[in-house]
């Protein structure tokens, strides 16, 4: 579904990603783990069309991604929930969700809202409340819900557990499992390797802009290098 090969990208003269390869198949949860500054966000930005790579190829559903406008990529089902959530703080929960669904017009809006409220009932309770008044966990749910309103085939989540208590982190990650069960593949960027590896079907470890290890999540969680560097064991 998503295939990245030989990807090099960075900012101005600074190259961050060096020859990265990665793929996500239909219905998979794939994690990308790595330390601060390893290039995980840069990778998601390149895939979602926000950053033009210097070389390499990215294809989604068999179509090239590089050079395609980010809005068009969203229309094709490639949806990025950025780190920091980027919500419209003064707008209500409902308005934020509606913004996520605008790309498909009014037809499917009610149905998609029902699906998001089913996944995160607290958002239904707070639908008229400004987004900025929600707790951190609720804001993360809203950011994911807004992404789901765009009907993703692949949902890319950047650090969804940042700033959340362990309990809320698990609630968000449990929601990721439900999202996959409904047929959406997920590419999950996480600094919290323990959570990401427990959840993911497969995972990649990114170090200094290069993937150094990949394999089934649970297998990587037993790898000595991963245990020492990312799991603190
Ligand atoms: P983090 O978890 O800290 O976000 P990350 O693995 O997602 O880490 P990136 O955000 O991709 O890492 O950053 C990789 C490198 O690129 C870092 O050295 C960072 O300082 C640099 N960088 C990120 N954004 C920019 C930018 N807009 N301009 C210049 N350098 C940047």
């Amino acid at each position: 579904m998503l295939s990245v090969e030989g990807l090099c990208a960075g900012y101005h003269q600074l190259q961050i990603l060096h020859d990265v390869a990665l793929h996500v198949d239909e219905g998979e949860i794939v994690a990308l783990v790595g330390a601060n500054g390893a290039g995980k966000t840069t990778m998601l930005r390149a895939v979602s069309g926000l950053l033009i790579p210097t070389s390499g190829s990215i294809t989604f559903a068999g179509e090239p991604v590089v050079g395609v406008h980010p809005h068009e990529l969203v229309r094709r089902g490639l949806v990025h929930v950025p780190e920091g959530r980027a919500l419209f703080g003064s707008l209500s929960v409902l308005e934020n969700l509606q913004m996520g669904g605008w790309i498909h017009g009014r037809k499917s809006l009610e149905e998609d809202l029902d699906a998001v409220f089913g996944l995160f009932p607290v958002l239904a309770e707070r639908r008229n409340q400004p987004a900025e008044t929600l707790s951190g966990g609720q804001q993360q749910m809203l950011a994911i819900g807004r992404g789901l309103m765009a009907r993703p085939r692949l949902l890319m989540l950047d650090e969804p557990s940042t700033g959340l208590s362990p309990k809320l982190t698990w609630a968000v990650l449990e929601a990721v499992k439900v999202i996959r069960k409904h047929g959406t593949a997920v590419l999950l960027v996480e600094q919290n390797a323990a959570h990401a590896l427990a959840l993911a079907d497969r995972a990649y470890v990114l170090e200094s802009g290069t993937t150094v290890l990949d394999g089934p999540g649970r297998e990587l969680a037993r790898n000595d290098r991963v245990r020492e560097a990312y799991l603190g064991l």
Side-chain angles (χ1 to χ4, degrees):
M1 166 184 264
L2 174 71
S3 174
V4 175
E5 282 170 26
L7 185 71
C8 297
Y11 306 95
H12 314 291
Q13 302 303 315
L14 184 66
Q15 188 179 349
I16 302 295
L17 299 179
H18 308 271
D19 197 20
V20 176
L22 170 155
H23 68 99
V24 181
D25 294 332
E26 297 273 353
E28 267 194 315
I29 300 177
V30 173
L32 184 59
V33 300
N36 255 336
K40 304 180 298 298
T41 297
T42 304
M43 173 80 195
L44 292 195
R45 289 174 58 81
V47 171
S48 58
L50 297 170
L51 180 71
I52 304 293
T54 43
S55 60
S57 82
I58 307 174
T59 57
F60 178 65
E63 303 274 339
V65 160
V66 177
V68 179
H69 195 279
H71 285 169
E72 171 58 17
L73 294 175
V74 172
R75 208 190 53 74
R76 291 183 195 176
L78 189 53
V79 173
H80 180 181
V81 178
E83 191 175 12
R85 300 153 196 161
L87 296 171
F88 301 98
S90 59
L91 298 188
S92 70
V93 166
L94 186 61
E95 287 164 335
N96 270 277
L97 291 173
Q98 287 166 337
M99 298 279 239
W102 69 270
I103 209 144
H104 298 298
R106 286 179 163 271
K107 260 195 329 222
S108 52
L109 206 60
E110 287 307 318
E111 192 186 321
D112 292 342
L113 278 172
D114 284 348
V116 170
F117 289 151
L119 184 63
F120 299 122
V122 70
L123 297 182
E125 289 161 23
R126 292 168 190 250
R127 68 174 74 202
N128 296 317
Q129 203 168 308
E132 63 199 3
T133 65
L134 300 180
S135 72
Q138 291 161 356
Q139 288 193 17
Q140 188 58 60
M141 290 170 191
L142 179 55
I144 295 173
R146 191 179 57 183
L148 290 174
M149 291 295 293
R151 300 197 155 194
R153 294 179 64 190
L154 173 63
L155 184 68
M156 301 192 290
L157 301 177
D158 196 352
E159 306 277 6
S161 71
T162 299
L164 303 191
S165 67
K167 191 173 158 211
L168 274 173
T169 297
W170 281 116
V172 166
L173 295 180
E174 280 301 314
V176 170
K177 286 194 205 164
V178 177
I179 290 166
R180 182 265 288 281
K181 211 164 140 196
H182 292 157
T184 299
V186 177
L187 177 57
L188 173 70
V189 160
E190 263 292 343
Q191 258 184 63
N192 189 326
H195 289 144
L197 295 179
L199 182 72
D201 301 308
R202 288 188 306 109
Y204 294 83
V205 177
L206 194 67
E207 282 182 8
S208 305
T210 304
T211 41
V212 293
L213 281 172
D214 65 87
R218 285 169 199 279
E219 213 168 274
L220 283 187
R222 291 196 294 268
N223 177 290
D224 285 343
R225 179 171 172 180
V226 172
R227 284 165 62 87
E228 196 178 321
Y230 301 104
L231 302 176
L233 299 171

